[in-house]
Amino acid sequence: MHWLYLLLALLFMAMAMKSTAPGWLVVLLVLAALGLFLAWMLGWVASRVSSGARDDVSMISPEELRQLREQAEARKRAAENPVSPDDSQP
């Protein structure tokens, strides 16, 4: 949808180039072309931001976060206290 704003802004720029009346030139250039160009820019930025946003469904629940922390602590304890092969055999 935001590409439509850019096309309309270019159309109004072309109309402003063909205009002979100074009043229409101001209306076409400032109000129409510049306004539509800014609308296109804001729409483009909004679509870029929303395309990079994460989905709420993919967020980690508190229970999953607790399990991940427990696993990380267990790995940390295992790394601090390595079991040698001599200790495991009777």
Side-chain angles (χ1 to χ4, degrees):
M1 176 68 184
H2 62 276
W3 293 106
L4 185 60
Y5 294 138
L6 180 62
L7 292 175
L8 287 173
L10 291 174
L11 176 71
F12 280 114
M13 284 290 285
M15 288 172 56
M17 288 182 195
K18 299 290 182 181
S19 174
T20 56
W24 277 112
L25 183 66
V26 169
V27 169
L28 290 174
L29 277 179
V30 175
L31 298 179
L34 186 61
L36 287 168
F37 181 75
L38 289 175
W40 168 74
M41 190 65 102
L42 289 174
W44 179 71
V45 168
S47 70
R48 294 280 300 202
V49 169
S50 67
S51 69
R54 291 177 52 181
D55 190 15
D56 291 340
V57 176
S58 66
M59 296 180 78
I60 297 176
S61 69
E63 180 63 27
E64 290 173 324
L65 185 60
R66 184 188 59 77
Q67 289 175 353
L68 287 173
R69 284 184 182 154
E70 289 173 356
Q71 290 173 359
E73 289 174 8
R75 279 195 298 269
K76 186 177 178 182
R77 279 188 300 243
E80 289 175 354
N81 300 323
V83 176
S84 65
D86 297 334
D87 292 343
S88 62
Q89 294 184 4

